[in-house]
Amino acid sequence: MTEARTIDGDRWGGFFDLLSTDHKAQSAAIELVGADFGDQYETELLPFAYASHDRRDDALVIGIGSNSARFPAQPELE
């Protein structure tokens, strides 16, 4: 099992750059989990393209296959 860790917001840019380089083209999925809507897959098992933090909109941007999704940044990411 992977150990969760907290990444401070001022280090997100470098973290997501490294994550994107280390995992490019690996199979990935985006699963949304919420009490109000349950578990939903946004994408399933497509090649991972990139992850980045859009500072202007304070959003997390994930690219998988030819899809991209934007999520509001949270105070902490685990």
Side-chain angles (χ1 to χ4, degrees):
M1 182 169 178
T2 303
E3 183 179 323
R5 62 182 175 158
T6 300
I7 308 297
D8 294 327
D10 60 340
R11 295 182 29 217
W12 286 358
F15 172 78
F16 289 126
D17 288 346
L18 184 61
L19 180 91
S20 297
T21 300
D22 287 351
H23 298 284
K24 189 165 186 79
Q26 291 182 356
S27 293
I30 296 176
E31 181 181 8
L32 305 177
V33 179
D36 53 338
F37 55 80
D39 297 0
Q40 299 180 46
Y41 280 96
E42 191 77 15
T43 65
E44 293 189 55
L45 299 180
L46 295 170
F48 177 77
Y50 64 89
S52 65
H53 176 235
D54 181 341
R55 290 178 186 254
R56 184 184 49 165
D57 294 333
D58 198 23
L60 174 59
V61 185
I62 305 288
I64 295 182
S66 62
N67 303 305
S68 67
R70 297 175 69 81
F71 304 96
Q74 303 297 312
E76 290 186 342
L77 294 176
E78 286 189 11

